[in-house]
Amino acid sequence: MQRSYPEQELHICVAMHFLSNNNFCHSPILALELKWLSCVLLDQAKEAMEQGEVPVGCLMVYREQIVGQGRNEVNETKNATRHAEMVAIDQVLDWCQRHSEKTTDVFEHTTLYVTVEPCIMCAAALRLLKIPLVIYGCRNDRFGGCGSVLNIATDYLPNTGTPFECIGGYRAEEAVEMLKTFYKQENPNAPKSKARKKD
């Protein structure tokens, strides 16, 4: 289910979610902790922009610790699948291996924070991994998989993982401003125009 909350209500909403959901092993995330998480999250997005990538940052939190973080690496790797969420998922897999944890258990108790609504590809991956909760900043009106274009998060999709809850709107204005700044500048990785010059 996709929900959107005013900024001042989101801290309370997230804390109440953790209090009321017995499937979570988290303690309630207080405003101070969420603020700290968001600083790390926005730093990932800023780093992406500095590297000429679409500014999206992502964190994956399991039992109150960051077990994966990522930023877009599409241009850097020349791989269209290297979205922030995919990079973070790879880090979680590495973390599980290093700590001898079952990946299924970890993903099923992990919350994903991302500056922009996950695209359809990433939302499908999160559903297959059974991530229970996604908290994101701004909507993704072109490729959003959590309700803006398709609702991979909660639609009836047999044999495709588990539906997950989405909470949108956290630090959305900052996420939008970063995207605007990125798209105003010339993208050095964009293909060269093939328009013919006039003689």
Side-chain angles (χ1 to χ4, degrees), residues 38-93:
S38 68
C39 289
V40 179
L41 184 66
L42 291 169
D43 284 347
Q44 287 288 316
K46 288 171 188 170
E47 185 181 324
M49 185 157 58
E50 288 165 5
Q51 297 300 318
E53 302 279 356
V54 177
V56 179
C58 175
L59 297 175
M60 299 186 84
V61 179
Y62 170 70
R63 297 186 189 275
E64 300 177 21
Q65 64 177 311
I66 296 171
V67 292
Q69 57 187 329
R71 61 170 177 81
N72 274 9
E73 296 179 358
V74 170
N75 295 327
E76 182 182 332
T77 61
K78 306 289 189 253
N79 181 340
T81 69
R82 299 308 289 161
H83 290 191
E85 296 93 331
M86 297 302 202
V87 174
I89 286 168
D90 283 348
Q91 288 195 4
V92 175
L93 292 172

Side-chain angles (χ1 to χ4, degrees), residues 25 51-52 141 165:
C25 295
Q51 297 300 318
D141 290 327
E165 185 173 0

Side-chain angles (χ1 to χ4, degrees), residues 106-181:
V106 171
F107 282 122
E108 287 176 13
H109 295 90
T110 291
T111 299
L112 182 136
Y113 297 83
V114 64
T115 54
V116 178
E117 175 189 356
C119 72
I120 293 163
M121 173 188 73
C122 291
L126 299 173
R127 183 172 170 132
L128 288 169
L129 291 169
K130 301 182 179 178
I131 299 288
L133 176 65
V134 171
I135 297 172
Y136 67 86
C138 64
R139 289 168 52 93
N140 182 344
D141 290 327
R142 293 181 66 195
F143 307 110
C146 296
S148 293
V149 178
L150 292 178
N151 199 341
I152 303 297
T154 59
D155 278 353
Y156 175 68
L157 303 167
N159 305 313
T160 54
T162 303
F164 58 90
E165 185 173 0
C166 294
I167 299 174
Y170 186 65
R171 308 288 291 260
E173 288 182 12
E174 288 159 279
V176 167
E177 284 307 309
M178 276 194 281
L179 289 170
K180 284 181 180 175
T181 300

Side-chain angles (χ1 to χ4, degrees), residues 11 17-18 40 43 88 94-95 100 123 128 145-146 163 171 192:
H11 294 299
H17 180 90
F18 288 119
V40 179
D43 284 347
D94 289 342
W95 184 91
S100 301
L128 288 169
C146 296
R171 308 288 291 260
K192 299 204 183 307

